[in-house]
Amino acid sequence: MPEGDTVYRSARSLDDALHGATLTRCDVRVPAFATVDLTGQTVHEVISRGKHLVAHVGETSIHSHLKMEGTWHLYRHGTKWQRPAFQARIVLETADWVAVGFELGTLELFPTPEDEQHLGYLGPDLLGPNWDAGEAVRRLRAAGDSTAGDSTAGDSTAEDSAAGDRPVAVALGDQRNLAGLGNVYVNELCFLRGLLPTRPIAEVTDVDGLVALAHRLITANRDRSERTTTGNLRRGARTFVYGRERQPCRRCGTSIRSGRLGRSELEQRVTYWCPRCQT
């Protein structure tokens, strides 16, 4: 699933192309909104909110979430699409551009004044103009008092969190706490702070430092297509633990382990950790 920096770049590209333009065609290919036609309306802006993308067109908001397979493409008129037309969920055209949302996990349209009704549950946006680190810290600390779902991380390290404290990896990935972190950042942050993914968030003593690092890391990557948490852009060297099961830790040489962790069985995500560097 795309991370917040990927959605940020998609929104910026769409905004660069569509901002201030008038739609010459609007084709929504989702049954619930198939009769909506925004042709003739002005695109005011396209923004990201965490891992969500919102286009404000006229007095309507077009809200999409990429989920696993979704993507937005921009084409010049007459250019062949890179994905089949049957995967298109929405097509927005202006005099200069064709914007196509393919296989969007979520696509809905609603009056712009209802933005907060639909998206207000999200925590502070790590890449938003009103990023509030203090509120993110407050929400993460409060998550330590929440009851965690079933949590397992591999063959040995995971146990149900004591006193129902939510594991740090689950708390970081919960978009209600802070918006924008996906599984790559969550795993890398846990490594960089020396925390097992299963460590209860209530036992993390420096939540402020964790949040500050999350903000620095995703901000450093927001303008480049190849994400790195190591500072190395060479293929195979961009992460410390993510996607590196059984490979040697870049710090100590111990084999990286992997498992699964989530709020519930339906929300399990793969986790990676170094059993020596993370406790």
Side-chain angles (χ1 to χ4, degrees):
M1 186 178 296
E3 313 264 328
D5 52 359
T6 300
V7 180
Y8 173 89
R9 287 192 298 275
S10 293
R12 187 174 60 186
S13 295
L14 289 169
D15 190 66
D16 287 345
L18 305 179
H19 190 114
T22 299
L23 292 185
T24 57
R25 180 188 176 207
C26 174
D27 181 6
V28 185
R29 302 180 181 182
V30 174
F33 305 100
T35 60
V36 177
D37 186 0
L38 302 178
T39 300
Q41 300 294 312
T42 300
V43 181
H44 300 303
E45 63 178 354
V46 183
I47 61 173
S48 62
R49 290 190 61 172
K51 296 193 283 186
H52 299 253
L53 189 148
V54 183
H56 292 136
V57 181
E59 298 180 355
T60 300
S61 291
I62 302 173
H63 166 230
S64 61
H65 193 296
L66 305 182
K67 296 293 178 70
M68 294 299 294
E69 305 295 335
T71 184
W72 279 91
H73 288 189
L74 278 168
Y75 299 100
R76 291 294 188 180
H77 289 280
T79 302
K80 183 179 179 180
W81 293 0
Q82 295 176 5
R83 296 182 67 164
F86 72 83
Q87 293 181 357
R89 299 294 178 262
I90 185 169
V91 182
L92 302 174
E93 295 187 12
T94 67
D96 298 317
W97 291 98
V98 179
V100 188
F102 292 102
E103 292 195 300
L104 302 173
T106 296
L107 178 65
E108 58 181 350
L109 288 77
F110 46 79
T112 296
E114 296 181 8
D115 274 13
E116 289 307 305
Q117 177 181 326
H118 291 265
L119 299 170
Y121 71 93
L122 293 171
D125 183 355
L126 282 152
L127 293 176
N130 300 314
W131 162 244
D132 187 342
E135 177 61 15
V137 169
R138 187 196 68 78
R139 293 190 183 206
L140 282 171
R141 285 177 174 155
D145 297 326
S146 301
T147 300
D150 295 334
S151 42
T152 57
D155 53 2
S156 61
T157 66
E159 296 179 354
D160 291 339
S161 55
D165 292 330
R166 195 174 296 275
V168 60
V170 174
L172 286 171
D174 190 334
Q175 302 301 295
R176 296 171 298 181
N177 295 328
L178 65 172
L181 297 180
N183 209 31
V184 178
Y185 281 118
V186 166
N187 280 275
E188 293 294 285
L189 282 165
C190 286
F191 174 81
L192 289 166
R193 299 298 294 183
L195 303 168
L196 274 176
T198 50
R199 171 88 73 88
I201 186 66
E203 295 181 8
V204 177
T205 57
D206 188 11
V207 178
D208 295 80
L210 182 62
V211 168
L213 180 58
H215 185 240
R216 289 200 306 273
L217 205 58
I218 196 170
T219 299
N221 281 289
R222 69 180 183 183
D223 296 322
R224 54 190 174 208
S225 57
E226 300 297 343
R227 179 185 304 115
T228 177
T229 57
T230 63
N232 192 332
L233 288 171
R234 184 169 54 85
R235 183 183 296 274
R238 297 170 188 158
T239 62
F240 285 104
V241 293
Y242 184 83
R244 301 190 65 243
E245 181 183 9
R246 296 191 180 92
Q247 296 182 46
C249 174
R250 300 192 192 282
R251 286 183 177 170
C252 71
T254 303
S255 293
I256 300 300
R257 297 184 185 178
S258 72
R260 300 188 69 83
L261 186 69
R263 289 190 301 173
S264 68
E265 289 296 327
L266 296 177
E267 296 184 14
Q268 298 286 302
R269 299 288 183 268
V270 179
T271 55
Y272 302 90
W273 72 93
C274 172
R276 181 173 180 181
C277 294
Q278 296 170 252
T279 59

